[in-house]
Structures are given as C-alpha cells and as structure tokens.
Amino acid sequence: MSVAMSASMSVQPMLQQPIPQRIGEVGGHREWSTGLFGCFSDCSSCIMTMLCLPGMECKNAARLGECCLLPHCCAGSNIAMRARLRTLGGIRGSILQDICAFCLCYSCTVCQMSREMDNMGL
C-alpha cells in the first residue's frame, strides 16, 4: 500500500511567473512620422481624402483589420482607430489629443493616419 501511495504522490509543478503582456511603453516611444498638416508630403492620399473622405475612412479601417464600414456605423470609431494605430506604432499621445486632432481638422487627421500606415507598412 505504501508503494501505491508513494506512486500517487507526485511533485507538483512550480507556479510560473506571469508573462508580461505589455509590448511597449504606455506613452509610446516615438512621434508621428508626419505632422497633422503634412498632407502634401503624400499628394495621392491628400487628393483621395479631399475628394472622397468616406472612402479613405473605409480604407483606413480595413488596413487596421476592422470592418470597412466601421467609421460610418459607429460614432467615435475613428478616434478608437487612431488610438489603436498609436498603440501599434508606439506613437506618443493620448485619447484627448486624438479627439482634439479630429476637432481641429478632421480630413487632415484621416490623411495623417493613412500616411502613418504607409510608413508602418500596414
């Protein structure tokens, strides 16, 4: 019986330390690759944004892995997508700054997001 009992008693595994889930600094480690009013550094995205803003919004959403209709179906989704883009790229900023950018010049902000995704290879 002691043999059976010793066989059933096994060494329990040690608890492993949790793996950190954070992939970067909370505040980001870099700035946007182009400024908010740097629209003319990429004339094609500037023209597309000015002529067809809804199309550029759909394109940005799809490039971020979201449904392309998200910007037109859900209020505030462009702000959420900008925050996601900042997180993916390690870009400094805050949600308040994202809101202010959209309030200052909505089209320029959408265009800046497209340029940033181009520079990030998305």
Side-chain angles (χ1 to χ4, degrees):
M1 182 108 163
S2 64
V3 174
M5 191 166 208
S6 66
S8 67
M9 294 175 65
S10 61
V11 177
Q12 293 186 0
M14 299 282 292
L15 292 175
Q16 296 180 354
Q17 294 294 330
I19 299 171
Q21 299 296 315
R22 196 173 84 191
I23 58 173
E25 294 299 316
V26 173
H29 63 274
R30 69 177 184 92
E31 299 298 326
W32 290 90
S33 60
T34 61
L36 185 61
F37 300 108
C39 297
F40 295 109
S41 65
D42 179 14
C43 289
S44 63
S45 67
C46 178
I47 291 169
M48 180 169 173
T49 303
M50 297 319 266
L51 295 179
C52 188
L53 179 61
M56 183 59 91
E57 290 174 313
C58 289
K59 182 179 175 185
N60 285 351
R63 291 170 74 182
L64 284 169
E66 299 293 340
C67 172
C68 66
L69 297 177
L70 180 67
H72 307 291
C73 297
C74 184
S77 61
N78 271 317
I79 295 166
M81 289 189 306
R82 185 171 171 90
R84 181 175 183 178
L85 180 59
R86 278 191 305 98
T87 302
L88 287 172
I91 301 168
R92 288 185 189 102
S94 67
I95 293 174
L96 179 60
Q97 289 172 333
D98 296 335
I99 293 168
C100 290
F102 275 106
C103 290
L104 183 62
C105 184
Y106 192 92
S107 297
C108 293
T109 305
V110 170
C111 191
Q112 181 189 36
M113 290 170 61
S114 177
R115 288 191 312 273
E116 194 64 40
M117 285 185 273
D118 288 343
N119 292 336
M120 289 171 57
L122 293 177

